[in-house]
Amino acid sequence: MTKEVMVTIAGLQAIGEDSEDQDAIELVHIGEYYKKNGNHYILFDEMMEGMAEPVRNIIKIKDRGLEIRKRGPVAAHMIFEEGSSRQSIYQVPYGSFQVETSTTSVRVAEDEQGLEVLITYQLAVNGRHCADCDIRVFVQSREEFCLD
């Protein structure tokens, strides 16, 4: 894969007890890709509504896990590893809150089209379950980029 990539992050959150209230989102970013010591690294800047400066995102992909680090006006270090729960502090300009992710599955696939990670997890904020989530991270070279 080339250094210049397109990063597509798509997510689905089932909010509440009945799982009928679902929220879907898809974001596409221009980024940079590196592979070092068997791990994949994706870097991209994200402009968030109401913020003057971008949030720098670093995604590290391993065989059975994914880490996301955010730096700037939003700061976080979230780890998704199959079969584990991880707590972190999610900091925004208005304050911070505790986030816990309980990851049930992580699937990583790499081929000539690009790199794809599928994650299923439960999200809790400040100790309270908020949503059941699925997230897809798809990385492909800018030359090959097309929306699914």
Side-chain angles (χ1 to χ4, degrees):
M1 191 170 353
T2 63
K3 179 180 174 183
E4 294 180 352
V5 295
M6 299 300 291
V7 183
T8 304
I9 300 173
L12 180 65
Q13 293 182 337
I15 302 165
E17 306 251 342
D18 59 9
S19 296
E20 289 182 21
D21 187 13
Q22 294 186 341
D23 191 17
I25 189 167
E26 183 171 67
L27 304 169
V28 179
H29 301 283
I30 297 171
E32 297 177 16
Y33 169 82
Y34 301 94
K35 188 169 185 179
K36 183 177 178 181
N37 298 328
N39 297 315
H40 304 273
Y41 295 87
I42 297 98
L43 295 79
F44 63 92
D45 289 334
E46 176 181 15
M47 289 303 299
M48 299 181 98
E49 188 175 327
M51 296 184 193
E53 65 179 278
V55 175
R56 182 68 168 163
N57 290 273
I58 302 169
I59 298 176
K60 178 181 179 181
I61 301 169
K62 304 181 277 185
D63 285 337
R64 303 300 292 168
L66 179 140
E67 290 183 41
I68 299 173
R69 289 184 189 266
K70 292 181 172 288
R71 294 190 177 129
V74 173
H77 181 200
M78 298 174 69
I79 300 172
F80 301 88
E81 290 179 327
E82 190 168 310
S84 74
S85 292
R86 296 294 186 115
Q87 292 183 356
S88 63
I89 300 297
Y90 202 97
Q91 210 166 354
V92 296
Y94 314 107
S96 61
F97 46 93
Q98 182 181 20
V99 173
E100 182 176 358
T101 55
S102 298
T103 308
T104 53
S105 85
V106 177
R107 284 188 232 110
V108 179
E110 181 180 12
D111 62 22
E112 60 277 347
Q113 299 297 317
L115 178 65
E116 180 180 52
V117 183
L118 302 170
I119 303 170
T120 301
Y121 65 99
Q122 289 78 46
L123 176 67
V125 176
N126 292 331
R128 185 169 180 212
H129 179 267
C130 292
D132 295 324
C133 307
D134 292 308
I135 191 168
R136 176 184 181 249
V137 178
F138 185 58
V139 182
Q140 62 189 124
S141 67
R142 286 179 71 177
E143 296 83 30
E144 302 289 323
F145 175 73
C146 67
L147 289 173
D148 302 332

